[in-house]
Amino acid sequence: LLDRFMESEDFAYGDGLTLADCAVPPVLFFVHYTLSFFGDHDPLRHHPKLDAYWMNMNRHSVCGPILDDMDTAFRAFQAGRATQGEQR
């Protein structure tokens, strides 16, 4: 559904970074993590515009580092949960 509302593959709305670009990438981040847990490692493959947008946001000079930090933090969280499970 979101794919239909995207104006371009570069930004969620308009021709520059907006508040929409602060909201959409974190959601897509968790979509990727959640669905990959269930074996779908390319959940946006049927939504080419949204997939291209996701890739562009990962390379964006502002959003990319934030998504990298989210990835690092989420992996640390998962590792901590695994360690807690072993201690029980």
Side-chain angles (χ1 to χ4, degrees):
L1 182 62
L2 183 59
D3 201 42
R4 290 187 226 164
F5 293 101
M6 303 284 295
E7 290 190 354
S8 76
E9 297 172 353
D10 296 323
F11 299 101
Y13 181 78
D15 58 355
L17 202 63
T18 65
L19 188 55
D21 298 302
C22 295
V24 174
V27 171
L28 295 179
F29 173 85
F30 284 107
V31 165
H32 271 269
Y33 261 104
T34 303
L35 294 179
S36 68
F37 180 76
F38 294 102
D40 188 351
H41 300 286
D42 190 12
L44 300 177
R45 67 184 169 281
H46 300 296
H47 307 281
K49 194 186 295 185
L50 195 55
D51 191 40
Y53 168 78
W54 171 244
M55 299 309 289
N56 286 336
M57 287 294 103
N58 274 284
R59 291 188 297 264
H60 190 271
S61 62
V62 173
C63 292
I66 294 168
L67 292 169
D68 287 343
D69 287 347
M70 288 177 67
D71 182 62
T72 300
F74 195 71
R75 288 179 191 272
F77 170 75
Q78 286 179 314
R81 299 258 322 177
T83 303
Q84 287 176 354
E86 293 170 3
Q87 294 174 357
R88 291 182 184 175

